[in-house]
Amino acid sequence: MRIGELSRVTGVPVPTIKYYLREGLLPPGELSSPNQASYDEPHVRRLRLIRALVDLGQVPIAQVKNIVEGLDSKTLPLHEQIGRAHYAITRPRQLSTSSEEPSYAAAEAQVTDLIARRGWTIHAEAPALTTLTETIAALRSLGQDNLVGHLDAYADAVEAFAELEISAVTSPAPDGAARTPDAVAESVVIGTILGETLIASLRLLAQESLSAQGWR
Amino acid sequence: MRIGELSRVTGVPVPTIKYYLREGLLPPGELSSPNQASYDEPHVRRLRLIRALVDLGQVPIAQVKNIVEGLDSKTLPLHEQIGRAHYAITRPRQLSTSSEEPSYAAAEAQVTDLIARRGWTIHAEAPALTTLTETIAALRSLGQDNLVGHLDAYADAVEAFAELEISAVTSPAPDGAARTPDAVAESVVIGTILGETLIASLRLLAQESLSAQGWR
């Protein structure tokens, strides 16, 4: 297809597509004449992934480039390819819990212990490690230690979520096609971000309902 | 205690405390002389609640006033008192899913069905209802319907969370004291907001670990 049709199919304006081509986020089309290029299904998928990262994930273009380079690599394992996108959409929370606070060291020890106990394989620089530590430290310093005691109940549930989610993104597409790294990355980005909102809003509703039924 | 000590105990600057007094968020202290007021434990608790709402929840002052008026009401049931704080910290997500989109009506039906099937008691104007509907519509319109199929698995887990959380905030404090509405509201605000971050970061870690163990 020509660039105009690529734009119609994906909803991405032509000047934006040209910008992605210049930045090397989108591979060049096949030249059908000296000044006409033709685009294909992989371009459609790549554009959908870029939009998910930029629009939903608010990932800066330089980082998007790093992610798509990983996906185009012939040597990087899928875990590392997808991991780049996964880390990029982990937005830092502004908890501003200082690592100097006494509750911070206790929280760090609790997180290390949790990961060891559950046998989780986590990179030492995973951004979610810092977020989890800061959150536990904040709960403790605000005198709300009760929730921290239920860490394993939460961990049980998220493990079950993660199993569902990983099988959802790696199972064949509805049309039976195996999933390319681009398609898996797109599902991971959308599923991680929107799944978080899904869980958060369901949790608020369950809290409201239990409160309505028990506290009246 | 005098206002200076109230400031030291809570970490809230004296001018800010005076502003809260003028706005009626904090009840006046007891006059010990014509220009000296004395403050007590309920003032400490109220200030902690206000800070949780303002700092963590980013709730505007006018809404904080509506919440504390609810807590001071002698007639409002606890569910309604706490509900004001709960709704105030439900931040709208910027998904910008238009209710005109075809996926929106399908999502609305799915949410209505879920709530009926689970027997949840939810106010028709609960902000989380809109967020949930928009999230499901967005997942559908982005072609990621797989996750939506697991809605009941998520609902099972958040029900279990909500039970833990409600018993955590209503059980007696570590010192054995029954919880006042202010204390329950403070725990609900902090636990709802930080609990969401806790669950989100645990979920990212569980996803990373499963991917590391299965995708290498």
Side-chain angles (χ1 to χ4, degrees), chain A residues 121-197:
Chain A
T121 304
I122 305 289
H123 195 285
E125 282 171 18
L129 272 184
T130 311
T131 308
L132 179 61
T133 306
E134 287 183 357
T135 307
I136 293 175
L139 280 164
R140 284 182 182 280
S141 69
L142 292 168
Q144 306 291 332
D145 305 44
N146 274 353
L147 275 188
V148 180
H150 296 302
L151 214 50
D152 271 285
Y154 287 115
D156 286 340
V158 297
E159 272 182 10
F161 292 165
E163 276 184 38
L164 288 177
E165 290 159 351
I166 289 201
S167 79
V169 300
T170 50
S171 59
D175 59 10
R179 297 201 188 255
T180 63
D182 269 48
V184 174
E186 185 197 351
S187 292
V188 164
V189 168
I190 297 173
T192 301
I193 296 172
L194 292 186
E196 187 176 316
T197 310

Side-chain angles (χ1 to χ4, degrees), chain A residues 102-121:
Chain A
S103 64
Y104 198 87
E108 252 182 339
Q110 197 171 1
V111 170
T112 306
D113 184 55
L114 176 86
I115 299 210
R117 195 168 61 249
R118 305 199 74 92
W120 282 356
T121 304

